[in-house]
Amino acid sequence: MTDLWWKSSVVYQIYPRSFADADGDGMGDLRGVIDHLDHLAELGVDVLWLSPIYRSPQDDNGYDISDYQDIDPLFGDLATFDELLAGTHRRGMKLIMDLVVNHSSDEHPWFVASRSGKDNPKRDWYWWRPAREGMEPGAPGAEPTNWGSAFGGPAWTYDKETGEYYLHLFSPKQPDLNWENPEVREAVYAMMRWWLDRGVDGFRMDVINMISKVLPLADGRLTAGAAYGDGSSSYINGPRNHEFLREMHDQVFAGRPGMLTVGEMPGVTVDGAIKFTDQDRHEVDMVFQFDHVWADRGADPWQLIPLRLTALKGIFGRWQAGLAQVGWNSLYWNNHDQPRVVSRYGDDSPEHRVAAAKMLGTVLHLHRGTPYIYQGEELGMTNYPFRTIADFRDIEALGQYHQATVQEGRSPEEVLTVLRARGRDNARTPMQWDDSPHAGFTRGEPWLAVNPNYREINAKAERADPGSVFHHYRKLIELRHEEPAVVDGDFTMLLPHDERLYAFTRKFQTTELLVIGNFTGETVRAEIEDAIAWEEAELVLTNVAEPTGLTLQPWQAVVYRRSM
Ligand code: TEU
């Protein structure tokens, strides 16, 4: 039987800026979250993950923090936060914060001090380097290494005053903290303890596998046509990553049972994740890996490639098998950095959206691991019909658009085609609460346009309709809470070479579950062993009115249960 509470839990991610605006300034806020806690309680989720709400210049929507122990007035204040925390706990849910400590804001007092002079005691709290040997400081190409920033442009910015460059793997307003410096690590641990003392239940840790850099810092691989080198081999899964996370565990979580930690780790491998999430190693409880959200990416970032279901199944199969004995998987389709899955891997047409959204949820939630629901996923929210670059607000989209079109000579339409399909702003359009103006998100002017389909797709309509995506997700969460095989069952992939059906079983003690999802708009027969016997078993859950056994209707999912 499971020994760790979060193995049978479901986490709900809130992107406060787009969740609910109570004061009418067009930006979501903490009062808005408080006003909708009952929506989350009815859905049945166990944990709320809040994307950053700390004081921030909002250069990257809060992932650039200038004060880790205060709330940005955009969202509210510490008293309102305490009220939100109390309301969450009163409803039997836990709350985890977003920990963004690979970098801070350039307006954080730590960086202001570090930048003030080479002799400042905090100079070594960040990564400062002189210009490349023999190059004129500040001149193009004089950066200490050829690394590109994730948001376009170089990963180094020249500081005239002190005559050196500082490193930022993201925007220039997000300077990387130097984790080699024990003072930095201690300051971070003290801040984390402060939040845990305040009653929060854990952390989602931003790009936490980037905190250890390979020394000395060296140039990355330069591919033809690219403006900058790929330095990821110097900062992804670095040499002291495990050591730092173990130290963090000892300094912050030791003696505090019942916490949840999940590390966001672009580029983490299965073997790496086994080590990071092995409970005996005391690092993190689970990681966010990216393989399945990169399954529709090719070598050329500005080219869309269609998803091959066998590729997706190959990825999930590897992660399920790899962490079957040691470690634990997170399960997610969506977050604030990914496009809406029903538009990406499903079908968001009016005819098939509801079935596809339910099928994708069913297939994901019945894997072995902890599911994460991103706000609006429980309503089947879709991508937004972006037209021009002017419709976008995301620093990553704008920065990458500039680099691709201006520095790399791509056509605007070529780049826009990918941003429309993959841009992060697709996930950040305001939550659709009802069919009133601005979908009930705000009385003011929303910071990002509401999806025009809000009259059809909104929480009020979904909660009133027993056949909705909302109630299907509620049943999935209930099933995880009631059926131990969903939590602890051994995973076996079926039909690995089928490009239309995603099928697997879960076995636990005397219970066996069969889960099949149809990833097409066609009717498809599941040619599995024992088909007849399964068709006589208990159909626990499906998303069509008249199921036809293992002959699956377009975008249909089935969950059967039998005793072995
Ligand atoms: O994201 C890190 C990260 O992996 C993203 O850059 C992601 O790959 C990309 O956006 C997909 O298009 C984290 C946060 O989740 C993100 O919101 C922040 O912008 C970033 O770190 C910097 O803090």
Side-chain angles (χ1 to χ4, degrees), residues 258-327:
M259 298 291 117
L260 169 60
T261 56
V262 52
E264 183 207 26
M265 296 193 179
V268 68
T269 62
V270 171
D271 292 342
I274 292 170
K275 287 174 79 178
F276 281 122
T277 65
D278 176 352
Q279 285 294 306
D280 297 339
R281 293 174 55 97
H282 303 301
E283 298 181 24
V284 292
D285 296 320
M286 57 191 98
V287 300
F288 289 138
Q289 50 92 5
F290 281 60
D291 295 356
H292 65 303
V293 291
W294 288 345
D296 57 355
R297 284 189 179 194
D300 177 352
W302 299 115
Q303 205 194 358
L304 284 178
I305 60 165
L307 172 76
R308 275 188 321 104
L309 189 59
T310 49
L312 192 67
K313 291 192 282 190
I315 290 165
F316 274 98
R318 242 171 352 94
W319 282 87
Q320 289 286 298
L323 279 71
Q325 307 310 325
V326 176

Side-chain angles (χ1 to χ4, degrees), residues 60 63 100 103 150-151 170 174 204 206-207 210 264 266 290 294 297 336-338 396 422 424 428:
D60 181 19
Y63 281 89
V100 187
H103 45 269
F151 295 159
F170 296 92
Q174 292 169 298
R204 174 265 185 191
D206 194 61
V207 287
M210 292 186 181
E264 183 207 26
F290 281 60
W294 288 345
R297 284 189 179 194
H336 61 294
D337 291 337
Q338 301 298 330
E396 180 183 73
R422 291 254 195 74
R424 308 191 302 177
R428 300 171 181 192

Side-chain angles (χ1 to χ4, degrees), residues 130-196:
R132 183 182 291 269
E133 198 136 340
M135 297 287 288
E136 174 60 33
E143 292 86 7
T145 71
N146 65 355
W147 302 351
S149 149
F151 295 159
W156 295 91
T157 291
Y158 183 60
D159 177 62
K160 283 201 190 63
E161 276 69 42
T162 58
E164 288 189 326
Y165 289 81
Y166 67 88
L167 174 67
H168 50 84
L169 295 178
F170 296 92
S171 97
K173 288 187 70 58
Q174 292 169 298
D176 277 51
L177 281 159
N178 175 13
W179 275 70
E180 301 294 322
N181 184 331
E183 292 172 8
V184 168
R185 302 198 304 268
E186 186 36 50
V188 168
Y189 304 153
M191 175 267 288
M192 294 172 74
R193 290 190 294 265
W194 185 85
W195 281 107
L196 294 183

Side-chain angles (χ1 to χ4, degrees), residues 48 154 227 243 259 284-285 315 389 409 507 547 553 557:
L48 305 184
E243 172 201 341
M259 298 291 117
V284 292
D285 296 320
I315 290 165
I389 193 65
K507 291 193 184 86
Q553 297 159 38

Side-chain angles (χ1 to χ4, degrees), residues 500-517:
R500 301 162 305 163
L501 298 179
Y502 194 126
F504 58 92
T505 60
R506 304 288 308 280
K507 291 193 184 86
F508 182 68
Q509 295 174 347
T510 58
T511 301
E512 185 177 14
L513 300 175
L514 169 68
V515 182
I516 309 178

